[in-house]
Amino acid sequence: RSRLLVGTGKYRDFEQTRAAVDASGAEIVTVAIRRTNIGQEPGQPSLLDALPPSRFTYLPNTAGCYSADDAVRTLRLARELLDGHDLVKLEVLGDKETLFPNMPETLKAAATLVKDGFKVMVYCSDDPIQARMLEDLGCVAVMPLASLIGSGMGILNPWNLALIIAQAKVPVLVDAGVGTASDAAI
């Protein structure tokens, strides 16, 4: 029912994560597999307890991955930990400062993951050609950045986003850099 996806990182603890997600009304939560315990650390607090998969749709992501191989390995681990869950968010970063996507590695990872049966939602640049290439590979959604991850700078290039939305046959979710409620409304 909600069109909002909420990240589960950057909170003090899982209790605060749950409170924030509940307040948001989001039903889909993104989970950075390399940073959040969903069972890979037995005996430690797990996000699965705070946000039960029976109530929330998990969108495991590859935050912190800088190569196609790392991203593919991370999502295969997530699928195993989440009992075959195949809806994932792919993000392959190219730069530690800007967190801008590495599109050649993103395309390579997307091709492998789709071939492996994953339903790939993919963080990408706001380039309409790259978005179309990802769709042609079989990605179920493209997620072009509005501006750099965590920047809160808002939508920097509305023209490119409009082109992507007009051409896409899959859902387009504007990702990264959304800083205000008015950005989200746009």
Side-chain angles (χ1 to χ4, degrees), residues 23 35 49 56 68 97-100 106 110 113 116-118 121 183-184:
R35 300 180 185 144
D49 297 326
F56 298 93
E97 293 298 314
T98 64
L99 304 179
F100 206 77
T106 297
L113 291 166
D116 282 357
F118 284 92
M121 299 173 67
D183 288 339

Side-chain angles (χ1 to χ4, degrees), residues 89-162:
K89 179 183 178 193
L90 172 63
E91 55 183 72
V92 182
L93 304 175
D95 180 76
K96 292 183 185 205
E97 293 298 314
T98 64
L99 304 179
F100 206 77
N102 177 330
M103 291 309 301
E105 289 291 300
T106 297
L107 288 159
K108 181 179 170 186
T112 300
L113 291 166
V114 168
K115 185 177 170 185
D116 282 357
F118 284 92
K119 295 175 187 159
V120 180
M121 299 173 67
V122 59
Y123 169 67
C124 58
S125 65
D126 62 354
D127 178 338
I129 305 304
Q130 299 285 327
R132 186 177 326 123
M133 292 170 74
L134 290 162
E135 183 177 331
D136 290 346
L137 285 173
C139 293
V140 299
V142 292
M143 304 175 77
L145 54 83
S147 57
L148 300 179
I149 293 174
S151 70
M153 294 189 302
I155 299 171
L156 296 182
N157 195 342
W159 308 113
N160 279 20
L161 292 177

Side-chain angles (χ1 to χ4, degrees), residues 5-6 12 19 25 27 31 36 38 56 60 69 79-80 91-92 94 109 117 120 145 158 161 164:
L5 282 68
V6 175
R12 179 179 58 242
E27 298 164 294
V31 180
T36 305
I38 59 165
F56 298 93
D69 289 342
R79 180 166 56 187
E80 186 175 319
E91 55 183 72
V92 182
V120 180
L145 54 83
L161 292 177
I164 292 169

Side-chain angles (χ1 to χ4, degrees), residues 3-25:
R3 293 175 56 193
L4 181 65
L5 282 68
V6 175
T8 56
K10 307 287 183 182
Y11 297 103
R12 179 179 58 242
D13 54 30
F14 289 145
E15 184 177 319
Q16 188 180 59
T17 303
R18 174 62 186 256
V21 171
D22 282 343
S24 75

Side-chain angles (χ1 to χ4, degrees), residues 33 39 47 62-63 77 102 124 180:
I33 299 304
L47 185 66
T62 56
L77 171 65
N102 177 330
C124 58
T180 65

